[in-house]
Amino acid sequence: MRAQLARDFERFGRSLPRDFAAHVHETYRIDLSAHYLGELLPHPVGKGSGQLSLNTKQLEEDADAGLAFVILKTVIAQDEAGAQTMAAWAIHETKMKVEQRRAASGAGGWTVTWKGRGWDRSFDEYLSLVRAGRDLARAGRLLAVPSVKYHLPRLHEPFRDGEYRFTTQALATAWGTGPLLVEKDFSPTLAGDALADDRVQILRWLREVPSQIRAHAPVRLALKLMNARFDDAFQVEMLQAASGADSLVVFNRLFDERLGVAYGGWDLSDRNLRVLDTPGLRPGLVMPELCGTGNIHSGRMIIEYARRGCSSVQLHTFLQLPLGEYPAVNGSRTQRALHKLIFDPADGLIAGLLELEDRGALERRSGELHFLDLVPDAYRPR
Ligand SMILES: Cc1cc2nc3c(=O)[nH]c(=O)nc-3n(C[C@H](O)[C@H](O)[C@H](O)COP(=O)(O)O)c2cc1C
């Protein structure tokens, strides 16, 4: 199998088949199935919300590459009259810098430095993108899920129901049949804002936002949790307060107060994995489904998140590196990233799963290895 993997790595670096998960199943008897928001996926790798999911062309390219899912750029909620309490997040900024960032541990990694925030075009344009995503999902080509930043009140204030109602209903109409799948973003710039200075206020948002959204349409809801500017114990409190969601995305980027920007790299994955490792977080506690995010650049890192409860992962930075950083010689960035994540003979997902089998840490069932067997029971969907 190792020789086969070396051969696949070599040839798929020239051209990655869209249905590579079926090839993996047939050739290695490895079932890469995963899930996000209760939807079954052929493999665990999706794209996080951001500048790489702004238009139909990007979605088409990801569908062709065989990405499992995409979260659309975060739109700022509005009411019928177009008023947006969180308007400060709808700012326009095009310049992004992909750069190296050394972590506190000394490890070198990548981060994207960008001063922008949410969707900066009209809400109608966003609805068109949601419809384009819906069509791709119906054609079985790509699951594309909208993301929203809704109003978050101060402790003594009510939620702006008009913004929750108008935005949720408009998205549900654009989505069409069945429950609306939607992600609610608590972003790193929010973590850096004075609004997020108060722990009690943050915990109230996490407890109450799910019912605020659910009041207006049938939804399956993911909350993308921020890395708040408090200690690890508070991250755990946030996880527990957010139990009204169907899925939790853990955890969005860190906020550098000195530079006033969000960042990732090894500091982000070190913190996320450490928090997910917290004794007492499991076993026994039935959590909503988890989806990992943060510095995922190898199959081994996907395994680290999976063993801590994540049944899928969403990436941004690794889908944005200079082309020379990928071993593949052809294809879109998404194809090149998938090629490395899945097939790299040293630290790809297949290599990592085979190694776990060799060590006796993962067993075949009816002759097959299953990615989802990495995920502890406490995190399976309720
Ligand atoms: C330039 C940029 C823009 C982003 N915009 C959003 C956003 O609008 N909404 C959101 O939920 N996450 C956003 N993110 C966070 C990513 O989706 C992802 O969760 C995070 O960067 C961690 O993954 P990574 O280390 O693979 O980049 C953004 C990230 C970057 C780098």
Side-chain angles (χ1 to χ4, degrees), residues 82-340:
Q84 297 174 308
T85 322
M86 307 298 275
W89 271 267
I91 57 175
H92 179 72
E93 169 67 61
T94 50
K95 221 170 84 221
M96 279 187 281
K97 203 165 159 203
V98 180
E99 54 189 355
Q100 306 259 358
R101 182 169 174 125
R102 191 159 296 286
S105 65
W110 291 93
T111 191
V112 183
T113 305
W114 183 61
K115 296 256 181 183
R117 292 179 168 193
W119 180 262
D120 59 5
R121 286 176 271 149
S122 74
F123 189 56
D124 279 344
E125 284 173 274
Y126 194 77
L127 294 176
S128 302
L129 187 61
V130 173
R131 284 190 290 268
R134 170 201 69 190
D135 292 344
L136 285 170
R138 286 207 185 134
R141 294 181 61 210
L142 178 71
L143 176 67
V145 172
S147 162
V148 187
K149 188 184 289 308
Y150 287 94
H151 171 234
L152 295 172
R154 296 191 177 281
L155 209 48
H156 56 275
E157 291 172 352
F159 285 85
R160 296 271 168 100
D161 190 54
E163 293 186 18
Y164 277 83
R165 186 179 56 247
F166 178 78
T167 303
T168 307
Q169 289 178 352
L171 289 173
T173 305
W175 184 265
T177 52
L180 166 69
L181 269 55
V182 65
E183 211 172 271
K184 155 76 183 118
D185 176 32
F186 291 88
S187 63
T189 49
L190 172 69
D193 192 271
L195 253 186
D197 281 347
D198 184 338
R199 297 175 194 226
V200 181
Q201 188 157 289
I202 296 174
L203 295 176
R204 175 195 174 205
W205 296 336
L206 295 173
R207 280 194 205 98
E208 296 186 22
V209 158
S211 51
Q212 292 293 327
I213 299 172
R214 292 188 200 285
H216 302 296
V219 290
R220 266 193 254 149
L221 174 67
L223 295 185
K224 185 169 184 177
L225 301 183
M226 58 185 167
N227 264 299
R229 284 170 300 147
F230 303 114
D231 57 9
D232 292 0
F234 186 69
Q235 291 301 120
V236 174
E237 271 190 74
M238 290 202 305
L239 272 173
Q240 293 172 345
S243 61
D246 298 295
S247 182
L248 299 176
V249 186
V250 286
F251 297 98
N252 210 333
R253 299 202 298 167
L254 298 160
F255 190 73
D256 184 326
E257 296 193 47
R258 195 175 55 83
L259 299 176
V261 292
Y263 69 97
W266 285 94
D267 284 335
L268 177 59
S269 51
D270 284 351
R271 182 175 209 212
N272 288 354
L273 296 175
R274 193 174 67 231
V275 168
L276 294 174
D277 261 342
T278 308
L281 197 61
R282 55 184 165 110
L285 178 68
V286 178
M287 301 283 297
E289 174 200 74
L290 298 183
C291 177
T293 193
N295 191 33
I296 293 158
H297 60 276
S298 69
R300 284 186 193 278
M301 188 58 98
I302 298 174
I303 290 174
E304 293 301 320
Y305 276 94
R307 296 185 92 183
R308 291 165 178 83
C310 299
S311 55
S312 59
V313 290
Q314 44 176 271
L315 294 63
H316 197 293
T317 303
F318 191 62
L319 298 170
Q320 212 177 353
L321 298 186
L323 282 184
E325 293 297 315
Y326 304 101
V329 292
N330 274 323
S332 64
R333 274 196 174 68
T334 302
Q335 283 172 318
R336 292 177 198 227
L338 284 168
H339 164 251
K340 175 152 172 46

